[in-house]
Amino acid sequence: MKKIYLYGNWKMNMLPEEGEAFCRSLADRITGSLYGSDLVDICLFPPFLTVPSVLKALPGSPVSAGAQDGYFEDRGAYTGAVSMDMVRSAGCTHVLAGHSERRHIFGETDEIVAKKLRKALDVGLKAVLCFGETLEERESGKTIQVVQNQLLSAFQSVPGEHAQDLILAYEPVWAIGTGKNASPDDAQEVCAFAAKLASGTFGGQSRIPVLYGGSVKDSNAGELLSRPDIHGALVGGASLKVDSFLAIYENYRKLSAG
Ligand code: PEP
């Protein structure tokens, strides 16, 4: 069985005490199981203020924590911003960059995403670069072109020696939080394209994982995760309950065990 990345983006949900309770229950469920093995990599992305209580509830567990965002400047007059160094020193190992909600609600351009990505990698974080097309772009046959532009713009800011800390997440905008997932064939096609572009840019040995995100839940996870170029899932809504989050991996395992 291949290694699966199971990443949960809590968005603006989970008070510190709720995050702590979630992680205590998650830690109980996964102790002594396959989850501690190299076959599963779990990371949670809580809101900034919930990160400390998540980390408090996780020591000794194989689960890591990441931030949903980080700014590209180190410090200074940037009210409301949190630097990548702050993210790292709070105990996060990962950070998201270019999530579609940051691009579309907060107006982040490819240029801003590239700067954030560079800074995240420079301070030693693993960066999850999200990319994906809108419904209009898909319906007008522009998916591959859009995805290629987003990826190449971001890849330019990644020094070769940091490529091993890069994780890609294909998240079609129309599938996020809508209950409509990309079909396994469509998701596979774009993830395979992204993997090929990454290995063309960083060298065949780079083996950068590509996750799929967009309304992943237990009922569609098995088929999606079984596709050869989909290495995991970035999960929003279904990551808010321990049962629905773990069911994603459990369904994949059942399907691949036959
Ligand atoms: C996400 O937030 O990255 C996401 C994919 O959300 P959802 O699973 O709710 O569609």
Side-chain angles (χ1 to χ4, degrees):
M1 246 187 314
K2 67 183 177 185
K3 172 173 174 174
I4 293 291
Y5 294 76
L6 182 60
Y7 284 9
N9 173 17
W10 286 354
K11 313 192 188 199
M12 200 175 72
N13 296 294
M14 296 279 204
L15 295 170
E17 56 272 31
E18 293 168 334
E20 186 175 338
F22 177 104
C23 289
R24 293 207 188 284
S25 150
L26 180 69
D28 283 349
R29 285 277 301 275
I30 64 180
T31 303
S33 69
L34 190 68
Y35 289 103
S37 77
D38 286 347
L39 285 175
V40 201
D41 176 336
I42 305 182
C43 186
L44 296 170
F45 296 83
F48 289 128
L49 293 175
T50 301
V51 165
S53 52
V54 160
L55 289 169
K56 191 168 114 194
L58 287 177
S61 97
V63 180
S64 37
Q68 296 170 18
D69 186 33
Y71 198 48
F72 54 78
E73 296 290 355
D74 290 326
R75 59 189 65 232
Y78 303 103
T79 301
V82 168
S83 74
M84 294 294 178
D85 226 11
M86 291 169 184
V87 165
R88 187 199 47 77
S89 93
C92 291
T93 49
H94 294 60
V95 66
L96 302 180
H99 190 280
S100 86
E101 286 152 17
R102 301 290 323 167
R103 292 180 191 260
H104 295 281
I105 301 173
F106 298 98
E108 288 190 10
T109 58
D110 281 344
E111 193 190 346
I112 294 173
V113 173
K115 285 185 179 174
K116 288 184 168 187
L117 187 63
R118 173 69 197 252
K119 182 55 78 175
L121 295 166
D122 280 350
V123 307
L125 291 164
K126 288 192 184 295
V128 183
L129 170 65
C130 305
F131 63 96
E133 81 288 0
T134 62
L135 187 57
E136 198 188 341
E137 288 161 346
R138 171 156 287 270
E139 285 176 344
S140 52
K142 294 194 189 126
T143 297
I144 292 294
Q145 189 58 53
V146 167
V147 159
Q148 173 165 300
N149 291 346
Q150 288 175 347
L151 289 174
L152 289 181
S153 151
F155 287 172
Q156 276 173 17
S157 72
V158 177
E161 71 272 19
H162 286 331
Q164 81 274 5
D165 291 325
L166 185 61
I167 294 158
L168 304 179
Y170 169 51
E171 297 214 305
V173 178
W174 50 271
I176 299 179
T178 58
K180 286 186 223 148
N181 60 287
S183 72
D185 285 347
D186 287 346
Q188 159 63 24
E189 184 196 358
V190 179
C191 290
F193 174 78
K196 204 161 155 217
L197 200 64
S199 67
T201 307
F202 300 111
Q205 301 311 308
S206 51
R207 294 181 152 266
I208 292 170
V210 189
L211 282 47
Y212 166 77
S215 299
V216 177
K217 48 186 182 284
D218 56 353
S219 55
N220 58 25
E223 282 236 35
L224 284 160
L225 296 177
S226 301
R227 299 298 157 125
D229 291 293
I230 303 179
H231 304 119
L234 179 55
V235 186
S239 71
L240 295 173
K241 295 260 179 329
V242 174
D243 281 347
S244 51
F245 188 46
L246 292 182
I248 288 169
Y249 182 64
E250 278 149 21
N251 275 26
Y252 160 73
R253 246 183 60 210
K254 260 186 241 149
L255 195 83
S256 45

